[in-house]
Amino acid sequence: RDWSSDVCSSDLTTFLAEALDTWKKNGVDLKAVDFPTGRDSMQALLAGSAEFSTATETPVVFAALRGLKPMILMNYSRYSRDMKIVVRTDRGIDPAKPASLKGKTIATQVGTSGQYMLFRYCEMAGISPKDLKIVDMSPADMTVATVRGDLDGFSWTREAAIVADRQSGGKVAVMSQEGLEKFFRSHELLLVSEKTIKDRPALLDAGVKALFDSEDYMRSHPDWQIGRAHV
């Protein structure tokens, strides 16, 4: 086997697979391209720039509603607490009380799991998304705007929460997620295009095996995440 492939990713599992060279082990000469959101990653796939991409189910559903056809090859991860709602501590928001978000200006990127989690969080809090002023913003911009004080907070990844905490000098906090599992669960998907399924079926097996090998490493090396910051 001597395949070459591009994968567009926003997920740590595929980063680990790349670092371990599990793609090459399975015969794939990989070129990985990082994107800030799964939505952007999926769009690159649909445009023909990659054979694989990763995204959560939220942008996939929105794409399907528009008549597009990203194909789900593998559901390899699911989580409830990787997305965070980060708020400034000087805006009258109590991080322990989800309903205290009411009336606040919160940024997220529309069409992503950040938006979906924010909506489900509102349901958990007993408020409506209409009770918030929701701003559509890129991940980098929402972090900067919150640190600068232009926003009350944002809904995005734990990594963004870490960045905001460091850049703000501790002027932000993460909202409580106690009980969120009953309202929100997101799935990380390995996507392919219809063209890849038709033209390169053997590549699909190689891609799945590459991620399985990455997961096997995680199970056999429980300390693999040591060094990552925690929020």
Side-chain angles (χ1 to χ4, degrees):
R1 297 173 295 176
D2 184 17
W3 300 316
S4 62
S5 178
D6 288 347
V7 59
C8 297
S9 176
S10 59
D11 177 72
L12 287 173
T13 302
T14 52
F15 291 162
L16 180 60
E18 181 187 3
L20 296 173
D21 226 359
T22 61
W23 291 87
K24 188 173 183 179
K25 173 185 174 182
N26 287 283
V28 180
D29 183 13
L30 181 73
K31 177 183 177 182
V33 182
D34 187 26
F35 281 85
T37 73
R39 186 186 69 177
D40 295 330
S41 171
M42 181 194 66
Q43 288 174 343
L45 171 79
L46 295 173
S49 300
E51 283 78 26
F52 298 98
S53 79
T54 63
T56 62
E57 72 276 22
T58 305
V60 173
V61 169
F62 279 112
L65 292 173
R66 292 162 49 204
L68 302 174
K69 295 182 179 180
M71 310 302 290
I72 299 172
L73 178 63
M74 183 181 181
N75 176 5
Y76 62 90
S77 180
R78 55 189 177 273
Y79 59 85
S80 292
R81 299 197 179 196
D82 196 58
M83 285 287 175
K84 306 291 183 182
I85 296 179
V86 178
V87 296
R88 290 188 60 92
T89 56
D90 57 355
R91 300 299 169 87
I93 304 170
D94 184 346
K97 297 180 180 179
S100 66
L101 282 177
K102 187 173 182 177
K104 304 304 180 181
T105 300
I106 306 295
T108 190
Q109 185 145 49
V110 172
T112 69
S113 287
Q115 179 193 10
Y116 180 52
M117 192 276 282
L118 180 59
F119 277 44
R120 298 295 288 167
Y121 193 90
C122 287
E123 182 177 350
M124 182 185 77
I127 61 177
S128 166
K130 294 181 180 179
D131 292 326
L132 308 179
K133 180 180 179 181
I134 298 175
V135 181
D136 185 11
M137 193 174 285
S138 72
D141 289 342
M142 70 177 76
T143 304
V144 171
T146 299
V147 170
R148 194 167 52 209
D150 299 339
L151 301 167
D152 297 320
F154 64 83
S155 175
W156 201 242
T157 63
R158 64 182 301 278
E159 284 77 15
I162 293 168
V163 170
D165 181 62
R166 289 173 177 169
Q167 292 182 350
S168 71
K171 294 181 180 179
V172 300
V174 175
M175 294 294 295
S176 170
Q177 294 183 308
E178 187 66 33
L180 185 61
E181 292 86 353
K182 297 178 181 179
F183 295 85
F184 171 75
R185 177 170 289 183
S186 192
H187 298 261
E188 198 71 39
L189 309 173
L190 182 64
L191 307 176
V192 296
S193 65
E194 288 186 299
K195 187 176 187 302
T196 302
I197 291 176
K198 178 180 178 181
D199 297 344
R200 308 184 71 183
L203 185 59
L204 308 183
D205 288 338
V208 170
K209 290 176 181 177
L211 295 195
F212 278 166
D213 288 345
S214 178
E215 291 180 351
D216 287 342
Y217 181 88
M218 294 179 195
R219 282 192 291 268
S220 61
H221 296 78
D223 61 346
W224 74 275
Q225 289 196 83
I226 290 179
R228 286 188 71 199
H230 292 274
V231 169

